[in-house]
Amino acid sequence: MELTTVWFIIIAFLWTSYFFLEGFDFGVGMLLPVLGRSDVERRVVINTIGPVWDANEVWFIVAGAAMFAAFPEWYATLFSGFYLPLLAILLALIIRGVAFEYRGKRDDARWRSRWDKAIFWGSLVPAFLWGVAFANIVRGVPLDADHEYAGTLTDLFTPYALLGGLTTMVLFVLHGAVFLALKTSGDIRARARFVASVAAVAAIAAGGSFLLITQLDHGKPVTWLTAGGAAIGLAVAAVANRRGREGWAFIGTGAAIVLAVATLFTSLFPDVMPSTLDAAGTLTTGNASSTPYTLTIMTWVAAVFTPIVMIYQGWTYWVFRKRIGTSHIPARAPRKSERAR
């Protein structure tokens, strides 16, 4: 197998891991105002991802770095042509990260409310725009013979791309709701299961439509299996959630995300960014890659460090595997004015 193909698979794996892990982070953030009816409940919701959300974002950084090193032409064209949507994603992620850290710095309801809104929008915007971006990557964008983006911002928001954004958004809401049902107890768990049952219907409708269109327009024979597997994963998640089997429901949503991303990348290969203007402008694993020497060095580095990162992150999830509820949230210390009374 050629190293260009190996690194296409590695990059697909990195993006798949990012969407699987950060997907429920985004879902939890979007569900914060829905499931957190008091400050204590919102603290429970946030604490379910508190120990892991920043580590989950590392997969995005690594995926982007791998694209830059292995396929610099792909990286340059993608990040220049999709500049404004990717900038919006980056700003949303920064604001969300700041919100997690600053929310509890002041014992003021209005202060916390503002940061809660930042967490909500900082989760919703990337959840939607990532779907828009990857739908465009698979469908193709106007690239000239020099591999330069020749379209406008509005060209990125076609009906197909908007459906892709809606698919990732509702799929991450479902993934997050199932994760919350798996990680919490009491009323939050019950409400999360109800939200998951509603989100499952939306995810099946939007995701099924998007994958069917993708398969008919861009798919290959093998992607019927991955697309069908994603649909089965959603069905398993819906049934398991109704029966209170949160573990199986989470496996179902996780499988749906993994197989949906596999469908997109398999449909794309060997291209990395098709051109809708001129076939000469299409970027492939061959004309967008680095030198064989660079790919060889990268392969050895990835072989050594990727297992270490996966083991460490798996250990983190094991340590923080238990459920939490409102009884685990300590009361806030009274303010100075209250202590003086």
Side-chain angles (χ1 to χ4, degrees):
M1 184 183 296
E2 295 183 358
L3 284 179
T4 54
T5 302
V6 170
W7 272 97
F8 182 88
I9 295 172
I10 291 174
I11 289 171
F13 168 76
L14 293 172
W15 281 110
T16 301
S17 301
Y18 172 65
F19 287 135
F20 174 81
L21 296 171
E22 191 77 335
F24 63 76
D25 283 353
F26 289 147
V28 169
M30 287 185 282
L31 291 173
L32 179 61
V34 177
L35 298 180
R37 298 183 178 179
S38 66
D39 180 61
V40 172
E41 290 187 343
R42 286 188 287 274
R43 290 167 66 187
V44 170
V45 171
I46 292 172
N47 284 352
T48 60
I49 60 173
V52 297
W53 70 267
D54 48 355
N56 293 343
E57 285 192 355
V58 170
W59 290 93
F60 164 47
I61 299 172
V62 176
M67 290 176 66
F68 172 77
F71 299 102
E73 283 278 358
W74 185 15
Y75 179 92
T77 301
L78 175 65
F79 280 79
S80 60
F82 292 29
Y83 177 78
L84 288 177
L86 292 178
L87 178 62
I89 291 173
L90 181 60
L91 290 175
L93 292 176
I94 292 172
I95 292 171
R96 189 178 71 127
V98 171
F100 283 133
E101 298 297 332
Y102 275 73
R103 184 187 185 276
K105 296 299 183 182
R106 287 174 55 182
D107 187 14
D108 180 78
R110 190 172 297 178
W111 168 271
R112 293 193 296 270
S113 177
R114 293 193 185 104
W115 289 119
D116 289 344
K117 290 183 176 67
I119 292 172
F120 171 78
W121 289 107
S123 302
L124 186 148
V125 170
F128 178 76
L129 288 181
W130 278 130
V132 171
F134 273 85
N136 277 294
I137 291 173
V138 173
R139 180 185 67 90
V141 292
L143 301 178
D144 60 24
D146 295 323
H147 309 306
E148 297 289 339
Y149 182 72
T152 63
L153 179 63
T154 56
D155 292 330
L156 299 177
F157 292 91
T158 62
Y160 174 73
L162 293 175
L163 179 59
L166 178 64
T167 296
T168 52
M169 186 176 68
V170 297
L171 184 55
F172 292 162
V173 168
L174 171 61
H175 199 37
V178 169
F179 178 78
L180 283 169
L182 181 65
K183 286 288 294 178
T184 59
S185 58
D187 292 340
I188 299 176
R189 178 187 180 188
R191 291 198 296 268
R193 285 182 56 194
F194 174 77
V195 171
S197 64
V198 176
V201 177
I204 290 172
S209 300
F210 177 70
L211 288 177
L212 180 60
I213 294 172
T214 301
Q215 181 62 33
L216 293 176
D217 291 346
H218 312 287
K220 300 172 181 176
V222 68
T223 52
W224 281 110
L225 297 177
T226 54
I232 293 173
L234 289 177
V236 168
V239 173
N241 177 70
R242 289 181 63 88
R243 295 181 177 180
R245 304 295 296 273
E246 290 97 344
W248 282 105
F250 187 73
I251 291 173
T253 57
I257 291 173
V258 169
L259 291 171
V261 177
T263 300
L264 297 181
F265 274 96
T266 305
S267 298
L268 183 62
F269 184 80
D271 297 337
V272 293
M273 185 169 286
S275 172
T276 57
L277 288 181
D278 184 357
T282 294
L283 287 170
T284 68
T285 55
N287 63 20
S289 68
S290 294
T291 63
Y293 179 76
T294 300
L295 296 178
T296 300
I297 297 298
M298 290 175 59
T299 303
W300 282 107
V301 172
V304 172
F305 288 101
T306 301
I308 296 174
V309 173
M310 294 179 66
I311 291 171
Y312 173 77
Q313 194 158 17
W315 174 79
T316 302
Y317 277 93
W318 176 257
V319 170
F320 296 101
R321 67 189 182 278
K322 294 183 179 180
R323 294 180 183 271
I324 63 173
T326 54
S327 61
H328 298 96
I329 302 298
R332 291 187 180 275
R335 288 175 287 186
K336 292 181 179 179
S337 59
E338 295 173 339
R339 291 197 296 266
R341 291 174 185 171

